[in-house]
Amino acid sequence: MRIGDAAAAAGTTPRALRFYEERGLLPPPGRTATGQREYGPGEVARVRVIRELLALGLTVEDLRTVADRIDLLVEDPRRRCGRPDSGVPGSGVVDRRIAALDAEIDRLTRQRTELALRAAGVEPQAG
């Protein structure tokens, strides 16, 4: 199927497919005799997994580090992610992203508290 059909089947846009290809998340697809990209069900399934992982908070850079293992989730969507001590290259990506999200939640919580105190006319304490 051509790029527009593949993008629609995966719930995204042709531009996103080209972006995933440029970033190394999606292997370069085959080409027709006229040079158009040609995708199959495997590529569509991979794009769906990529989109799910991005929606869960992983970044494109996170996924680049484990791009060679994305097909494992295509084969078994309930597969567990590797642990940092597993010795598997790229393991720990999820733990690092969770730590980054926790740090951002802490920062936003402090910022919200300070703003609420100022809105109430209370000067926040230093520290």
Side-chain angles (χ1 to χ4, degrees):
M1 71 184 85
R2 292 193 311 219
I3 192 167
D5 297 328
T12 192
T13 64
R15 184 175 182 197
L17 294 187
R18 289 188 291 271
F19 176 77
Y20 298 153
E21 182 184 340
E22 290 168 7
R23 297 291 187 227
L25 302 182
L26 187 62
R31 300 279 182 152
T32 66
T34 59
Q36 293 181 326
R37 289 173 170 87
E38 194 168 52
Y39 297 90
E43 288 87 3
V44 171
R46 184 179 175 99
V47 171
R48 286 182 181 144
V49 168
I50 290 167
R51 291 180 43 80
E52 288 173 25
L53 294 171
L54 292 171
L56 287 171
L58 294 174
T59 66
V60 169
E61 289 305 311
D62 292 334
L63 296 182
R64 280 178 56 136
T65 65
V66 294
D68 61 325
R69 297 172 57 212
I70 292 173
D71 284 333
L72 296 174
L73 288 173
V74 172
E75 295 167 10
D76 180 6
R78 296 187 311 182
R79 178 184 281 277
R80 291 192 51 194
C81 297
R83 304 296 304 170
D85 57 351
S86 71
V88 176
S91 63
V93 169
V94 171
D95 290 332
R96 286 191 301 274
R97 181 54 44 206
I98 289 171
L101 289 170
D102 286 343
E104 182 67 3
I105 289 167
D106 289 343
R107 184 190 71 77
L108 290 170
T109 300
R110 287 191 308 275
Q111 185 178 11
R112 185 204 179 281
T113 299
E114 183 176 332
L115 183 59
L117 288 171
R118 288 184 187 239
V122 177
E123 195 62 33
Q125 294 182 0

